Amino acid sequence: MPESAWGWLIISYLFLAGAGSGAFLAAVACDLLAPDWSKALARAGSFASGPLVIVGTACLVFDLEAGFWQPWRQIYLISNLTSAISWGVLILSAFIPVALLYAAALNEISFVGRYAKKYVRLLEVIGSILAVSTAGYTGVLIAVVNGVPFWNTPIMPVLFLASAVSTGLAVAMIGAAIIDISTIRTLSNFALGHVIFLAIEAVVLMLFIFTSLTRSVEAASSANILLSGFLSPCFWGLVVMVGILVPFLLSVVEYYEYGQMSKYLVVGADLCVLIGGMSLRAVIIFSGTPPQIIS
Amino acid sequence: MNPSFGKEFIPLQCNQCEDAPCQRVCPTCAIYTSPEGVVLVHRNRCVGCKYCVEACPYKVRTLDHHEGIVVKCWFCIDLVRQGGEPACVTTCPTQVRIFGDLDDPISRISRFIAQHRAEPLRPDLNTRPKIFYKRS
């Protein structure tokens, strides 16, 4: 089993930052496109976005060692602009306040929300750019790593962005069901979103695995750990079946049965997407094999 | 065709890369190259994010959990600055290690590399490693 210096905290961060920025994008799309009777999804998505990214960032800080015990060292984190982490710190520091302001605006929380509501379109534009940057950057973070050839591909940010959008939509849909269970019928409108985004995610995942099989010996050995190695139960079971196939089929049914599907199945499909998103990051981190130094 | 097996022992340490990936990815600029060309860690700047551990293709960086920072081979820079050699070179019982100035074409190490066509490990990774191996 290849050993990674990064573990569950970083995996959680990759997942939470993706889901949080995806929820923001889902909220913006819903606020702009959906009719008034289904605004619960926009409210839920915006409400979940900031806190998810904050918890994700906290995971990142907990993973530090000296920087955790001596937090003043964290000021150095933005000193190297050739490092993806420095960029990430800047993007997260910009995205979190915008996401919180947007949540306040859509949910009309206190005077801040009433004030922010005046600039809601501006928040949507800036926030969407930052959300795409946050989700994409989680992929760039590991794509620029020379030490793990499996991650070292430009498909990585695309895959993480695709997964962020589908997990974000799932978060917003679960949130909408929690805020107002009567909206569960209207959620069928967004099932089409799941169908589209899960299909895109599946295609990108396939591209990633297929190209990895031929890119280099090390990338192929990582890909084989997923396809037939010790992580294959997690990959085929959690990422492919639970994460993509089951919610895809459920969403197709949900879209055609329009509001007739049991609420447990509607929310269940979203939970499946979340489990798949987390598992995807976990199997990618845990299957990373270093270059073969001695040939 | 029969499969062929071989066994080889290769001591591995920080390759003091000229284009060090660890240095490029360090967000706090805690990793720097000394004037002598040795890659060093600034112990007061390192936050322990472990990005360099992932980035190093030779996987020769380790974490000092007590201090919470990443540590690596520093080529015994304090001994070298006093005119000595790294401890691994002086203590090796079979004297397989040669230490010296790669920039000086007539140094013992430069002549040894030229004579035996010694090569670094995985030069194709483009990190320009500075440890050369003479392998039979």
Side-chain angles (χ1 to χ4, degrees), chain A residues 33-282:
Chain A
L33 303 174
D36 284 338
W37 44 261
S38 59
K39 288 288 189 227
L41 190 117
R43 284 174 48 214
S46 66
F47 199 74
S49 168
L52 283 177
V53 179
I54 290 173
V55 175
T57 309
C59 290
L60 207 56
V61 175
F62 279 127
D63 193 62
L64 297 180
E65 304 231 347
F68 181 68
W69 309 119
Q70 302 177 351
W72 56 88
R73 287 189 186 204
Q74 288 173 30
I75 195 71
Y76 296 132
L77 278 172
I78 49 168
S79 40
N80 183 4
L81 289 184
T82 60
S83 168
I85 290 189
S86 293
W87 281 100
V89 169
L90 294 173
I91 293 168
L92 288 171
S93 333
F95 180 60
I96 290 171
V98 173
L100 292 178
L101 272 180
Y102 186 56
L106 283 196
N107 294 287
E108 295 183 20
I109 301 165
S110 77
F111 69 95
V112 183
R114 283 191 294 277
Y115 184 74
K117 207 166 172 55
K118 286 186 222 163
Y119 301 101
V120 73
R121 288 290 171 268
L122 185 66
L123 284 174
E124 280 174 350
V125 173
I126 297 173
S128 300
I129 295 169
L130 290 171
V132 171
S133 313
T134 306
Y137 141 78
T138 58
V140 173
L141 177 77
I142 70 168
V144 297
V145 164
N146 303 42
V148 186
F150 188 44
W151 304 344
N152 205 340
T153 160
I155 304 179
M156 207 74 229
V158 183
L159 177 62
F160 276 20
L161 185 59
S163 169
V165 172
S166 51
T167 51
L169 182 61
V171 165
M173 284 173 75
I174 293 173
I178 293 171
I179 288 181
D180 183 0
I181 194 70
S182 67
T183 62
I184 200 101
R185 286 172 55 86
T186 67
L187 288 182
S188 301
N189 288 306
F190 303 103
L192 186 63
H194 263 331
V195 173
I196 295 168
F197 296 130
L198 286 173
I200 293 174
E201 190 185 337
V203 170
V204 179
L205 181 62
M206 257 163 60
L207 273 176
F208 172 61
I209 297 290
F210 281 141
T211 53
S212 297
L213 285 172
T214 51
R215 255 187 309 129
S216 64
V217 184
E218 299 88 356
S221 96
S222 292
N224 280 321
I225 289 176
L226 300 190
L227 295 176
S228 53
F230 77 100
L231 283 173
S232 59
C234 300
F235 178 73
W236 291 111
L238 293 176
V239 178
V240 177
M241 287 292 289
V242 175
I244 297 177
L245 220 55
V246 169
F248 180 84
L249 293 175
L250 280 175
S251 298
V252 171
V253 175
E254 190 183 344
Y255 186 68
Y256 280 105
E257 288 203 349
Y258 203 83
Q260 299 302 309
M261 206 163 82
S262 148
K263 62 184 174 189
Y264 298 108
L265 283 179
V266 174
V267 175
D270 294 323
L271 284 175
C272 284
V273 173
L274 295 184
I275 293 169
M278 182 78 177
S279 310
L280 174 71
R281 274 113 178 136

Side-chain angles (χ1 to χ4, degrees), chain A residues 3-5 65, chain B residues 12-14 22 31 41 43 46-56 58-74:
Chain A
E3 275 182 31
S4 171
E65 304 231 347
Chain B
L12 198 60
Q13 72 193 84
C14 171
C22 56
I31 301 164
V41 179
R43 46 201 312 128
C46 177
V47 290
C49 71
K50 303 175 274 291
Y51 203 12
C52 55
V53 181
E54 293 289 2
C56 173
Y58 299 99
K59 292 286 170 277
V60 285
R61 305 178 66 90
T62 42
L63 220 78
D64 175 351
H65 288 289
H66 182 68
E67 286 207 48
I69 59 170
V70 169
V71 288
K72 65 184 286 298
C73 161
W74 65 92

